Amino acid sequence: MELDPLILSRIQFAFVVSFHAIFPVFTIGLASYIAVLEGLAFKTENPVWIKLSAFWTRVFAVVFGMGVVSGIVMSFQFGTNWSNFAQATANYLGPILSYEVVTAFFLEAAFLGVLLFGRDKVPAGLHLFAAIMVATGTFISSFWILSANSWMQTPAGFELREGVFHVTSWSEAIFNPSFPYRFMHMALASFLTGGFVVAGVSAWYLLLGREVEANRKALSMCLWLLLFIAPAQLVVGDFHGLNTLEHQPTKVAAMEGNWETSRNVPLLLFAIPDQENQRNLYEIGIPSLASMILTHDWNGEVPGLKDVPVEEQPPVAIVFWSFRVMVALGMLMIAFAVAGLLLRAGGRYARNPWFLQGLRFMSIAPFFAVLSGWFVTEVGRAPWLVYGIMSQAESVTPSLTGGMALFTLIGYIVVYGLVFTAGVYYLMRVLYVGLEERHDEDEHEAERPKRPFSAAHVPFEIEEDDHHRKPANQGGL
Amino acid sequence: MELFDLPLIWAFIIGFGIIMYVLMDGFDLGVGILFPFAPNEEARDTMMNSVAPVWDGNETWLVLGGAGLLAAFPMVYSIFLPALYIGVFLLLAGLIFRGVAFEFRFKARTSRYLWNWAFAGGSTVAAFAQGAVVGAYIQGFETANGVYVGGALDWLTPFTVLTGLGMLAGYSLLGSTWLILKTEGRLQEWAYRITLPLLAAVLVVFGLISVWTPFVDELVRDRWFSNLSVIWILPVLTLLCAYQIFRSVRGRYEGLPFVATMGLFITTYLGLVVSRWPYVVPPDYTLWEAASAYESQLFLLLGLLFVIPIVLAYTAWTYWVFRGKVRAGEGYH
């Protein structure tokens, strides 16, 4: 069998980006939550906030570590597997990604060190500042990366010369037509993810009766947050959809499973798209509702897949079903947010076992929603890498062979598999230990006497020797 | 119409980014390479804590190097990465394992030794791969019409294996002198003890590379032995730095060995740059031919002029926060 470097590169990129995407979407939301907790701790000096912040910072550190290392891989993949694309789009994507590094990555990395290790080394105010900088960094990062992605979806502010993109207007390119919607959609998704994870974990602790005061506070905060942003996401998502209809009608046609451009198009609840015969099997739908949602008119015209040649159609079934998964999970999130409000009276939200169990399971829902959302938008633009201009086939590295692409694909799957398994395991351990003082510390202490070195931590003569060399040592830094 | 020679300015910026990366991630990779040889587990705790708060920022310079190349010299980016395809994968896999080891090692109990190996192995593979990239750069790339046309393993030659080993030795030296600076007691004693043998290893490998390089490439040979005799000041400076390392370790200075090692790296690096200048994709393309559009280079430059000083300032501040000796029990874990 012939190994196709294009297909393998697509699988590889989809694998790496899907794996990577679940980390930032969580850490963006969590970083803001930690900053809020640090702010509350600073202002009220209530130890509960510090306890919560310290705990969630431990979770953050594990997840952020995996996000960083998987992100580094992505920044090199444009070059390794898509060098023609890199060469053609470098005039725009190069500066944008560089701005992401200098305005966001450095900020996150430097202040994360202070946030994790500096609580006893810097004044409380500076520690809070570090938390705010980490949170700010995550948002700046998503600003640039979504600008880059949106530009590939709705390219603007450029002209093509000899197959190379030249930027003619930076503001038009950065704030391209789909960018504001995509950015808002992702920002809200991050808050939803952070919110549901914190809510789910707090609910679990409440079910176990652990650290009730702190976890009740955490859950209450989350439920208020979710009550506003879960419905807001529905509205933003609708606007995003309308924007996609304007700029990428074929993608919307795939989301709706609509083959012929027509009026009174039903909203399909179930169908099996049959791309080979250009039709759906077993359709179940609500009459005219798709027209209504997309055009705000029962009689509105919805584009169909057949408007473009078959080879320019995305894989319809993936887009169609991913979209339904995303929307269904979104509706479920709204239901939980509203249920939280209804259970407010008498504080039942923190006692009702059904609700708390439900929240436990909901803590993974946003990850699936985010992944399916990205599937919709990324698979939906196939076969284009730069929409309507540069196809995936034109973008792949010319010297890449199927064997090489397969080797690294398997390599990344093995490496990520190991790292992810270990990461989830250690994350579970952090969650299991919870907010209480760590037991490890005691174990660590208990082990110490067994170690010959630890009793005499610092030999005396060296200590004295150190004394007069201190300035030289600090000068070295 | 073009006021400044932007590709030239960008060559300096990228060059600065690369040496920043080599010096900063160099010592924390070096700590990883030395990890298995540490006297005991508590020493390993201390070693890890000495770099834990700063390694992430150090590694960000690598990401900046990648993104900066894409922005300023896309041809370099789109030729080097496909040419070094397998090497890049090894580098990234190494960085993944060592990166997560920082978090996972302290969380692990019975499996801690596995993360020791992940940290050491990942650091070693990453350092070797970086050395091989340097060797491949000296060696040159087979291109046609601005696109790489060579094979998947063209970069892997005896010469690049040697440069890979050179990088391992060099980073280890950065690591050991860093540990002299940051630790005390038995661990510092150990770091003092291994530094001079590592220095000897570095000098031997660098010497071999220097002798070999003129045979690898004609341009380098011509430059070294004909028109630019002032080039010879760089190896002389390198040897002076090496002597300074020797002297300061003997004299048991704490900061000076690390500073002198950085000096050794900088002079060697400059030697490499002037030998190859102005070819960024040897043997065919100069930095002007590999450059991106003028507007793009300008757009990014204007921003960097503001942002980079700020980045340097808060990076320096975090190093200041974590100044002084590090101990095993520190950290938030």
Side-chain angles (χ1 to χ4, degrees), chain B residues 7-255:
Chain B
L8 188 68
I9 295 172
W10 269 102
F12 281 111
I13 296 176
I14 301 276
F16 173 74
I18 291 174
I19 191 68
M20 282 298 283
Y21 171 73
V22 167
L23 294 178
M24 297 176 80
D25 211 29
F27 75 73
D28 64 51
L29 283 167
V31 167
I33 299 165
L34 296 173
F35 216 55
F37 312 102
N40 54 35
E41 196 64 14
E42 183 161 334
R44 278 189 268 274
D45 289 355
T46 312
M47 286 164 79
M48 205 145 200
N49 282 338
S50 80
V51 293
V54 292
W55 76 273
D56 193 6
N58 296 345
E59 209 164 281
T60 305
W61 288 94
L62 178 69
V63 185
L64 179 63
L69 271 182
L70 179 63
F73 301 106
M75 187 195 270
V76 179
Y77 188 85
S78 59
I79 289 176
F80 276 38
L81 291 177
L84 302 163
Y85 193 80
I86 303 293
V88 170
F89 168 74
L90 293 175
L91 167 71
L92 295 173
L95 290 178
I96 289 175
F97 276 116
R98 79 181 287 275
V100 296
F102 279 98
E103 275 306 318
F104 292 176
R105 182 174 174 276
F106 284 104
K107 305 265 183 288
R109 288 175 199 151
T110 50
S111 58
R112 178 169 289 199
Y113 73 99
L114 284 177
W115 297 109
N116 285 347
W117 283 112
F119 184 54
S123 303
T124 306
V125 169
F128 180 84
Q130 288 174 18
V133 169
V134 176
Y137 167 67
I138 297 174
Q139 218 169 251
F141 299 94
E142 196 184 328
T143 59
N145 301 320
V147 170
Y148 179 69
V149 293
L153 289 173
D154 286 5
W155 60 276
L156 191 64
T157 62
F159 182 72
T160 55
V161 169
L162 185 68
T163 54
L165 293 175
M167 200 61 115
L168 275 183
Y171 279 172
S172 304
L173 186 64
L174 270 175
S176 74
T177 52
W178 166 260
L179 290 174
I180 290 175
L181 175 67
K182 294 297 286 185
T183 66
E184 52 199 354
R186 192 167 144 192
L187 177 56
Q188 191 193 35
E189 273 309 305
W190 173 74
Y192 270 123
R193 216 165 42 238
I194 61 170
T195 295
L196 291 185
L198 283 174
L199 176 65
V202 167
L203 289 177
V204 169
V205 182
F206 280 22
L208 281 174
I209 293 171
S210 304
V211 173
W212 196 336
T213 300
F215 295 99
V216 172
D217 187 84
E218 260 172 56
L219 180 95
V220 177
R221 185 167 61 223
D222 292 350
R223 187 155 291 175
W224 283 14
F225 298 107
S226 60
N227 51 358
L228 266 176
S229 52
V230 50
I231 268 184
W232 288 93
I233 199 169
L234 289 168
V236 171
L237 285 175
T238 307
L239 287 175
L240 274 179
C241 287
Y243 175 68
Q244 193 55 246
I245 299 170
F246 175 76
R247 218 180 56 92
S248 57
V249 168
R250 276 296 178 81
R252 301 187 66 82
Y253 288 90
E254 295 196 317

Side-chain angles (χ1 to χ4, degrees), chain A residues 151-454:
Chain A
W151 182 83
M152 289 159 67
Q153 306 268 1
T154 54
F158 70 92
E159 61 182 28
L160 268 175
R161 276 182 247 148
E162 294 168 16
V164 174
F165 292 83
H166 287 260
V167 180
T168 52
S169 162
W170 288 99
S171 59
E172 278 176 33
I174 293 171
F175 299 97
N176 56 73
S178 66
F179 169 71
Y181 304 97
R182 227 175 277 277
F183 182 60
M184 280 299 290
H185 205 42
M186 272 310 284
L188 290 180
S190 304
F191 280 129
L192 281 173
T193 310
F196 270 106
V197 172
V198 174
V201 171
S202 307
W204 179 52
Y205 289 144
L206 287 172
L207 279 169
L208 296 173
R210 288 169 59 176
E211 297 280 328
V212 174
E213 189 207 347
N215 286 308
R216 198 190 164 96
K217 276 187 152 109
L219 179 58
S220 171
M221 285 167 86
C222 285
L223 289 176
W224 281 122
L225 174 85
L226 297 173
L227 184 63
F228 290 97
I229 57 170
Q233 182 71 307
L234 185 72
V235 177
V236 171
D238 182 49
F239 279 112
H240 186 22
L242 294 180
N243 178 268
T244 309
L245 178 67
E246 189 183 336
H247 295 278
Q248 300 176 307
T250 309
K251 184 191 282 183
V252 171
M255 286 155 69
E256 299 296 342
N258 192 35
W259 296 95
E260 308 276 356
T261 299
S262 49
R263 297 177 182 278
N264 295 315
V265 173
L267 182 75
L268 298 178
L269 299 175
F270 184 92
I272 296 179
D274 174 7
Q275 197 150 9
E276 207 169 311
N277 298 310
Q278 300 279 297
R279 66 194 171 102
N280 291 330
L281 305 171
Y282 314 110
E283 273 183 18
I284 302 170
I286 303 170
S288 299
L289 191 56
S291 287
M292 181 62 198
I293 291 172
L294 284 166
T295 64
H296 297 187
D297 174 5
W298 293 107
N299 199 24
E301 191 176 82
V302 175
L305 284 154
K306 288 185 186 171
D307 288 359
V308 296
V310 179
E311 60 276 8
E312 287 185 20
Q313 291 174 2
V316 178
I318 299 177
V319 181
F320 180 84
W321 280 109
S322 299
F323 182 62
R324 267 143 199 80
V325 169
M326 177 186 77
V327 173
L329 288 171
M331 295 297 175
L332 205 55
M333 290 182 213
I334 294 174
F336 267 88
V338 173
L341 180 70
L342 298 178
L343 291 169
R344 276 281 161 188
R348 280 179 298 150
Y349 69 92
R351 283 197 311 271
N352 185 317
W354 295 104
F355 183 61
L356 294 177
Q357 280 293 359
L359 279 177
R360 264 187 76 189
F361 287 106
M362 282 305 285
S363 59
I364 54 167
F367 295 102
F368 287 101
V370 166
L371 276 182
S372 46
W374 275 109
F375 280 9
V376 172
T377 203
E378 296 300 288
V379 178
R381 69 163 151 172
W384 303 107
L385 216 51
V386 182
Y387 200 75
I389 300 171
M390 192 170 190
S391 72
Q392 292 162 340
E394 294 167 307
S395 306
V396 78
T397 299
S399 63
L400 188 64
T401 61
M404 284 160 73
L406 183 66
F407 172 79
T408 52
L409 173 62
I410 295 171
Y412 284 122
I413 290 174
V414 170
V415 171
Y416 280 33
L418 286 172
V419 166
F420 189 64
T421 310
V424 168
Y425 175 73
Y426 293 125
L427 201 58
M428 286 302 155
R429 177 176 288 175
V430 171
L431 295 181
Y432 187 77
V433 170
L435 279 62
E436 290 93 358
E437 292 304 310
R438 308 258 334 244
H439 304 299
D440 306 30
E441 310 272 324
D442 311 333
E443 274 174 35
H444 225 77
E445 287 300 325
E447 275 171 30
R448 279 216 167 131
K450 283 181 246 157
R451 294 179 175 173
F453 176 40
S454 56

